[in-house]
Amino acid sequence: MQDRARIHVEAGGGGDGCLSFRREAHVPKGGPNGGDGGRGGSVVLVCDASLRDLEAFRRKAHFKARRGGHGQGALRHGKDGDTLEIAVPPGTEARVEADGTVHDFVRPGQRAVVARGGSGGRGNKHFAGPTHQTPRFAERGLPGEDTWITLQLKLLADVGLVGLPNAGKSSLLGRLTRAHPKVADYPFTTLAPVLGTLEAGDRQLVIADIPGLIEGASAGAGLGHDFLAHIERTRLLVHVLDLAPLDSAESPESNYATVERELELHNPRLSVLPRVLALSKADLVDEATRDAARVAWTARLGPHTPVIVTSSATGLGLSELAGTLLGLVPEEAPADGPGGDGAAHEVEPLDELAEHRVFRPAAKRSYEVVKVGDGAYRVTGKGIERLVARYDLDNEDALAYLERRLRGIGVIRALEAEGFEPGDDVEIAGIAFDLDPE
């Protein structure tokens, strides 16, 4: 089972606007008619219920959406690039490394845009005006966003079985559900989480057999991080404790403390999840020993933690355990999925939102002017760099238009406030400009 992956996604770039003029018979001086470039395709993650793991990303880790089409003459606009959809299984957590955004997929059909396509450039028709009727430039399309994304699969299970290796979790899961996990008489038989379904009438509970935890698992020992991640969404934990450990130097008390400590160190939320203690392998001890163990553990844990003596070999306690699980797990899952904490997730809602108007505060100045030397200045800012990238600076018309734009958004005034004078050097997006303050 592949439950971790790291992929690189790149949205499509926008198409370039077209530089074109109307040329027809008997129309010797037609006006500009260059069409706009299309928007690049975005990259979207989609929750697909047919998937169970992240195995597909072992074979392919790089995804790129198509770019937008270029504009053409006669006001023909370029086609928008197709959206690239990447399917992920329910339970996937996607962390976008570019900005730290986390998307949590718990319901089929959920979608999240992780890389937006670049906007298309405008054709020269947009720049015609009373004083400049034949603009001989057009805008370039902008590149699409790109980023690495870390995917982690966290099983969507109602109940998680936890315990040390060889505690009897797999055998217990096999008897409670229709699952057929591999079972053997040695530690670490289970190397990946296994799901099973407990059915009772019209109810179903999904139970996950989490591979055995060892001391130091919360710090990454063994496959600790991978295993522990799968129980973060569960709504109830069954701590499976071997009544007769193979190593006589270990005691059930110390084994119990080891697992509980690793759970709390990994995520404090796990320490407060409802618990059931299943004392396993009861067929290997006599009746007096298991009765005494049940009394002792009930006294130790208190009345809120059921203690059930079980044996997968004989079926002892399995009906009691199944009834307890059905009684403790609510029939209705939390709004944000099993094990949810009520926090909002970065996933688009399934239902369409009613139309509404959004009011946003006026944008702050998106650039900064810095004096870097005697008669030398640098203008930085993502917005200003994107503006410069729009135009071919070897084109005099485009350069003149860009300078008017810089003056209109206040860059010239900001430079003068820092002491800029005619003839001083100005660098924007790594390009030297000879700006005229007049």
Side-chain angles (χ1 to χ4, degrees), residues 366-410:
S366 60
Y367 58 87
E368 182 180 4
V369 176
V370 180
K371 186 173 184 178
V372 295
D374 188 18
Y377 300 84
R378 179 180 296 129
V379 182
T380 59
K382 186 175 181 179
I384 208 79
E385 292 169 2
R386 288 168 63 89
L387 176 64
V388 172
R390 286 282 195 186
Y391 303 101
D392 176 9
L393 301 184
D394 292 330
N395 182 310
E396 292 187 3
D397 272 16
L399 190 59
Y401 177 80
L402 175 59
E403 187 168 336
R404 291 197 297 271
R405 288 289 306 275
L406 294 175
R407 181 176 291 106
I409 62 179

Side-chain angles (χ1 to χ4, degrees), residues 263-301:
L263 293 175
E264 183 173 7
L265 289 174
H266 176 71
N267 187 338
R269 175 187 166 274
L270 298 177
S271 65
V272 298
L273 273 181
R275 290 282 198 285
V276 172
L277 178 62
L279 301 175
S280 64
K281 302 183 182 180
D283 56 291
L284 300 181
V285 299
D286 57 57
E287 184 176 355
T289 300
R290 58 184 182 240
D291 288 344
R294 180 168 190 163
V295 171
W297 281 104
T298 299
R300 176 193 292 265
L301 302 178

